[in-house]
Amino acid sequence: GQSLEQPSEVTAVEGAIVQINCTYQTSGFYGLSWYQQHDGGAPTFLSYNALDGLEETGRFSSFLSRSDSYGYLLLQELQMKDSASYFCALEGGYQKVTFGTGTKLQVIP
Amino acid sequence: ETGVTQSPTHLIKTRGQQVTLRCSSQSGHNTVSWYQQALGQGPQFIFQYYREEENGRGNFPPRFSGLQFPNYSSELNVNALELDDSALYLCASSLRDGVYTGELFFGEGSRLTVL
């Protein structure tokens, strides 16, 4: 099976940079995705790494290292609206996705 | 907005009852996956439907079943409801034929409470 671990909570200051880590155990996967979910809302896609390295999408960047079984999401220029839960997720083929435990990010003024 | 719609948005059932949840996938998508999300946890994969066939199941018992229709909309059925079935049920649509961008398109979910 697959398992993904994330810190349960992170607090950061508005305007700062925050990194949310994800470590995983799997026998194989195609890529690592990141999703944002506000309370009561649907998960929304942020980023996807099919290959090792950094992917940048506006204020969000995601990194993957297959050799270290590790990835992270980097959020820059934090805004209050970034307060949400963030999930890393492994794509195991045919778009079957296993989600991590989730990190609740609180942005404070 | 993703174009994925789910109904009903909220419902309350009692133990032992049956429930049907519905999902309309985004136009052009041929794959629907269902997830269960308990409070404070990540979504858990239930199963996936691709071109009207079940194509993979997570660690859920047979009382969780589904359908996909020719227009690619889908239903999730849960029989003999248990208290632990209380959760947010999410539907995600995608297009399996072509280059995968890593993105699943989620609906807002159906919040099920079992009493």
Side-chain angles (χ1 to χ4, degrees), chain A residues 95, chain B residues 2-4 23-33 49-52 68-74 91-97 100-101 103-106:
Chain A
Q95 299 169 12
Chain B
T2 62
V4 179
C23 171
S24 293
S25 57
Q26 182 169 313
S27 177
H29 285 180
N30 56 16
T31 303
V32 171
S33 301
Y49 277 84
Y50 170 63
R51 298 195 177 203
E52 302 179 59
Q68 187 178 34
F69 300 99
N71 66 355
Y72 301 127
S73 66
S74 178
C91 163
S93 83
S94 57
L95 177 63
R96 261 201 29 196
D97 308 316
Y100 181 53
T101 62
E103 183 170 7
L104 297 177
F105 296 80
F106 282 89

Side-chain angles (χ1 to χ4, degrees), chain A residues 33 35 37 40-45 47-48 87 91 93-102, chain B residues 35 37 40-43 45 48 55-56 88 90 94-96 100-104 106-108:
Chain A
S33 300
Y35 286 80
Q37 186 178 31
T44 55
F45 173 80
S47 187
Y48 178 65
F87 296 92
E91 198 257 320
Y94 299 111
Q95 299 169 12
K96 294 167 196 168
V97 177
T98 300
F99 284 80
T101 51
Chain B
Y35 290 83
Q37 186 175 26
Q41 298 183 21
F45 176 74
Q48 180 190 89
N55 182 54
L88 181 68
L90 294 162
S94 57
L95 177 63
R96 261 201 29 196
Y100 181 53
T101 62
E103 183 170 7
L104 297 177
F106 282 89
E108 296 288 325

Side-chain angles (χ1 to χ4, degrees), chain B residues 2 5 7 9 21 27 33 63-67 71-72 74 83 91-92 94 98-99 102 105 107 109-110:
Chain B
T2 62
T5 59
S7 63
T9 55
L21 308 178
S27 177
S33 301
R63 61 189 184 84
F64 286 77
S65 63
L67 284 173
N71 66 355
Y72 301 127
S74 178
L83 297 179
C91 163
S94 57
V99 177
F105 296 80
S110 295

Side-chain angles (χ1 to χ4, degrees), chain A residues 35-105:
Chain A
Y35 286 80
Q36 178 192 64
Q37 186 178 31
H38 288 97
D39 283 347
T44 55
F45 173 80
L46 295 175
S47 187
Y48 178 65
N49 293 74
L51 303 173
D52 281 9
L54 194 67
E55 290 285 338
E56 296 178 271
T57 310
R59 293 190 299 115
F60 299 96
S61 303
S62 59
F63 174 81
L64 174 64
S65 168
R66 289 174 183 263
S67 60
D68 296 321
S69 298
Y70 165 74
Y72 67 72
L73 177 70
L74 195 72
L75 295 83
Q76 302 182 73
E77 301 172 16
L78 279 173
Q79 303 174 10
M80 298 301 290
K81 67 178 182 179
D82 296 329
S83 293
S85 292
Y86 292 84
F87 296 92
C88 56
L90 288 177
E91 198 257 320
Y94 299 111
Q95 299 169 12
K96 294 167 196 168
V97 177
T98 300
F99 284 80
T101 51
T103 299
K104 192 172 182 70
L105 171 65

